[in-house]
Amino acid sequence: MASLLVTGGAGFIGANFVHYWLARYPEDRLVVLDALTYAGRRENLAPVLEQPALRFVHGDIRDQALVERLLREESLDTVVHFAAESHVDRSISGPAAFVETNVTGTLSLLQAAQNVWLAGSGRPHRFHHVSTDEVYGSLGPADPAFTETTAYAPNSPYSASKAASDHLVRAWHHTYGLQVTTSNCSNNYGPYQFPEKLIPLMLTRLLHGESLPVYGDGRNVRDWLHVEDHARGIEQVLRRGRVGEVYNIGGENEWNNIALVRLICARLDETFAARPELSARYPEAAPARGEPCESLIRFVRDRPGHDARYAINPDKVRAELDFRPAHTLESGLAATMEWYLAHPQWWRPLCRAAG
């Protein structure tokens, strides 16, 4: 039986990981530590919050004394570190919060783990750090995909703060012997994603009948990873990954933004046509008014420093961990759309906060 501290476990990826892990390993103990900032919500854990295997703690990862107390009280042997500020636009307008959470917060966790596991119990342990492909910078159309040895070249305050945290995790392994692994993932999507990110933003705006803002010419390319596939990838890193190693977890689904937005539009048009009851539930949606969703697309001024393309080479995670994503973008998007259509009570209150 394992005992895990999941930081940021009430956020989008963290909550999905908690759901996945408790379903797969019901005998394990999970402690979720989350500060419940705008994107972290208890509601994301509602289906599992009352399970005896789960303890929720409202707290900040920068509170080192709290983290040390939890590691000791619960005899935790694993940290899975999701907690982060992650929205690039917010990092441009307010970078300090990203340094505080992503850099200072990670430092606090590392020091707590060092004090409890290395200077204290000496128990076998794992500190797994969840990072992003954005630390590698931007690719041209014909450039080879990112590997685990690609040089770091972050271009936004967000990616710079994540790059700094990656380096701290590496340093705590090589300097102090902390047993760490790191994963760098591509763009996630799926249930419980705050509607400031591209896919839920487009879905919720379409259901409200609002315009769809697309940066620049919409040709920026991203690799899309369903959040459940991400959870499976982290599971494999925890179970089989080599200590001190980095694993890039990608979706093998490269799409440019405008093609993805048009796909969302086409699928929603088809869904409304096949299910007339949706027009009664969402009367403001374009297809409920007899208009194609694509008519709502509007190109807007590009974001400063907008990276052109991200792509992940999956060779290492395939060869060492036998990991392959189970979802194509089409299948994952269909499931995601169904979730948002079925849970307006979850996302409607958040749309104002998403801006």
Side-chain angles (χ1 to χ4, degrees):
M1 183 178 79
S3 299
L4 287 69
L5 176 66
V6 182
T7 72
F12 161 51
I13 304 177
N16 276 280
F17 175 83
V18 170
H19 287 253
Y20 177 85
W21 198 269
L22 286 174
R24 291 273 293 177
Y25 303 99
E27 73 283 1
D28 283 359
R29 174 71 168 158
L30 268 67
V31 177
V32 168
L33 176 63
D34 200 294
L36 297 179
T37 56
Y38 75 96
R41 309 181 71 225
R42 287 178 185 268
E43 292 89 338
N44 296 352
L45 296 170
V48 296
L49 202 53
E50 300 305 318
Q51 291 191 18
L54 177 67
R55 176 186 175 188
F56 177 81
V57 178
H58 182 195
D60 195 315
I61 59 172
R62 294 173 297 173
D63 186 345
Q64 184 178 327
L66 170 62
V67 176
E68 290 188 22
R69 186 166 69 251
L70 292 174
L71 292 175
R72 291 192 176 99
E73 284 179 357
E74 299 282 351
S75 298
L76 301 171
D77 53 36
T78 304
V79 170
V80 187
H81 177 31
F82 293 100
E85 295 284 349
S86 65
H87 190 47
V88 174
D89 287 3
R90 289 178 185 263
S91 81
I92 293 170
S93 60
F98 287 71
V99 173
E100 280 295 313
T101 298
N102 300 352
V103 183
T104 304
T106 300
L107 173 62
S108 172
L109 289 171
L110 290 166
Q111 290 177 317
Q114 178 186 358
N115 288 345
V116 174
W117 288 337
L118 299 183
S121 67
R123 68 185 303 160
H125 62 269
R126 177 69 66 88
F127 186 110
H128 181 71
H129 175 59
V130 180
S131 190
T132 172
D133 58 1
E134 297 190 39
V135 298
Y136 299 121
S138 184
L139 295 169
D143 288 341
F146 300 132
T147 71
E148 290 79 1
T149 60
T150 299
Y152 276 32
N155 292 318
S156 70
Y158 162 60
S159 56
S161 69
K162 290 299 290 184
S165 67
D166 293 3
H167 292 320
L168 287 172
V169 172
R170 174 184 170 88
W172 253 250
H173 172 64
H174 286 277
T175 301
Y176 303 109
L178 195 68
Q179 304 296 283
V180 309
T181 44
T182 295
S183 56
N184 295 78
C185 69
S186 55
N187 280 40
N188 278 223
Y189 68 101
Y192 301 106
Q193 188 169 27
F194 195 82
E196 66 186 356
K197 300 297 179 78
L198 181 62
I199 289 177
L201 176 67
M202 296 300 153
L203 283 174
T204 56
R205 290 184 71 88
L206 281 169
L207 293 174
H208 278 145
E210 298 173 344
S211 64
L212 308 179
V214 177
Y215 282 133
D217 61 5
R219 303 296 173 186
N220 304 76
V221 175
R222 298 295 182 260
D223 174 35
W224 291 94
L225 174 68
H226 192 276
V227 68
E228 184 177 89
D229 282 328
H230 190 190
R232 288 197 306 108
I234 293 171
E235 173 192 26
Q236 293 306 309
V237 175
L238 290 172
R239 292 180 63 230
R240 303 168 58 190
R242 290 182 288 137
V243 170
E245 289 295 310
V246 174
Y247 295 91
N248 285 352
I249 302 174
E252 300 180 45
N253 286 302
E254 281 191 62
W255 285 69
N256 68 41
N257 288 344
I258 188 59
L260 174 56
V261 173
R262 286 174 175 150
L263 177 64
I264 293 169
C265 288
R267 293 295 177 265
L268 199 64
D269 285 338
E270 294 167 3
T271 301
F272 269 70
R275 295 160 56 185
E277 74 277 7
L278 290 175
S279 293
R281 289 169 52 196
Y282 297 103
E284 298 174 329
R289 304 194 309 265
E291 301 172 7
C293 288
E294 195 168 323
S295 67
L296 296 177
I297 293 174
R298 303 287 185 270
F299 292 96
V300 299
R301 183 177 181 179
D302 206 358
R303 181 168 69 201
H306 199 176
D307 288 339
R309 172 176 167 246
Y310 305 143
I312 280 181
N313 180 324
D315 288 351
K316 181 175 179 178
V317 75
R318 275 185 180 177
E320 292 192 18
L321 307 182
D322 194 29
F323 171 79
R324 291 170 173 78
H327 294 84
T328 64
L329 182 65
E330 291 89 340
S331 68
L333 180 61
T336 300
M337 185 177 295
E338 284 300 316
W339 190 90
Y340 279 88
L341 285 170
H343 294 85
Q345 75 281 3
W346 183 88
W347 56 261
R348 282 191 193 277
L350 303 180
C351 289
R352 183 185 299 273

